[in-house]
Amino acid sequence: MAHVSLKKYSQVRASNIAEMAPYEQINLIFSNIIGRLAATKGFIERKEIEKKGENLSACILLLGALQDALNLEVEQDPSISNNLLALYDYCQRRLVQANVDNDIEIISEVAGIIKEIKEGWDSIPVDQRIPEV
């Protein structure tokens, strides 16, 4: 019975994500990364190596999703997108190193970077969050 409930919950979550505006989807990715990194610190402390690896792998994939979402062909100023692309790549490489070394300091470093980017994302004025059609 619990399995059926979980399956229904997953379907609802997936359909809700598809219905979200792109701004909200990116915000959800940031929140997911931050939450997973916090949990990963606990996994390292408790020596739950499998869960640590799964969480860090998920974070690396989510950073890839952020990279894929960047508009690198913006005519006005592509430097922001290019800088974010490089920063996400840096975070991915650091998380690989954190996984190898079980390094909580690296995880804190990456979490700080993502939190700072999310703060910038959250400061986008509401009227500019919906893309023009």
Side-chain angles (χ1 to χ4, degrees):
M1 186 68 167
H3 179 67
V4 174
S5 296
L6 267 174
K7 191 172 182 179
K8 285 184 179 182
Y9 174 73
S10 296
Q11 290 171 346
V12 169
R13 279 191 61 202
S15 67
N16 285 345
I17 291 169
E19 294 169 6
M20 289 176 146
Y23 172 88
E24 294 169 328
Q25 291 175 352
I26 298 298
N27 204 29
L28 182 62
I29 292 172
F30 284 134
S31 296
N32 199 326
I33 292 171
I34 292 165
R36 284 180 175 276
L37 290 176
T40 300
K41 290 178 187 180
F43 295 145
I44 290 172
E45 290 169 352
R46 292 186 303 275
K47 301 191 184 329
E48 297 180 51
I49 303 306
E50 186 176 338
K51 289 181 180 179
K52 172 211 65 166
E54 290 170 359
N55 254 14
L56 289 177
S57 293
C59 288
I60 290 167
L61 288 172
L62 289 167
L63 286 162
L66 290 174
Q67 288 174 314
D68 291 344
L70 291 171
N71 185 354
L72 299 173
E73 298 175 10
V74 175
E75 292 178 20
Q76 297 169 358
D77 186 9
S79 66
I80 294 172
S81 292
N82 287 328
N83 289 340
L84 284 170
L85 182 68
L87 197 52
Y88 295 148
D89 179 65
Y90 171 79
C91 288
Q92 287 173 316
R93 288 184 282 116
R94 293 296 285 160
L95 290 179
V96 168
Q97 192 63 49
N99 194 26
V100 170
D101 296 340
N102 291 319
D103 193 326
I104 291 176
E105 294 294 321
I106 294 174
I107 293 169
S108 295
E109 172 196 0
V110 172
I113 291 169
I114 299 303
K115 286 176 184 175
E116 191 169 336
I117 295 170
K118 185 180 182 313
E119 286 174 13
W121 188 256
D122 290 341
S123 71
I124 295 174
V126 175
D127 63 333
Q128 294 180 15
R129 293 180 182 178
I130 301 174
E132 295 178 16
V133 187

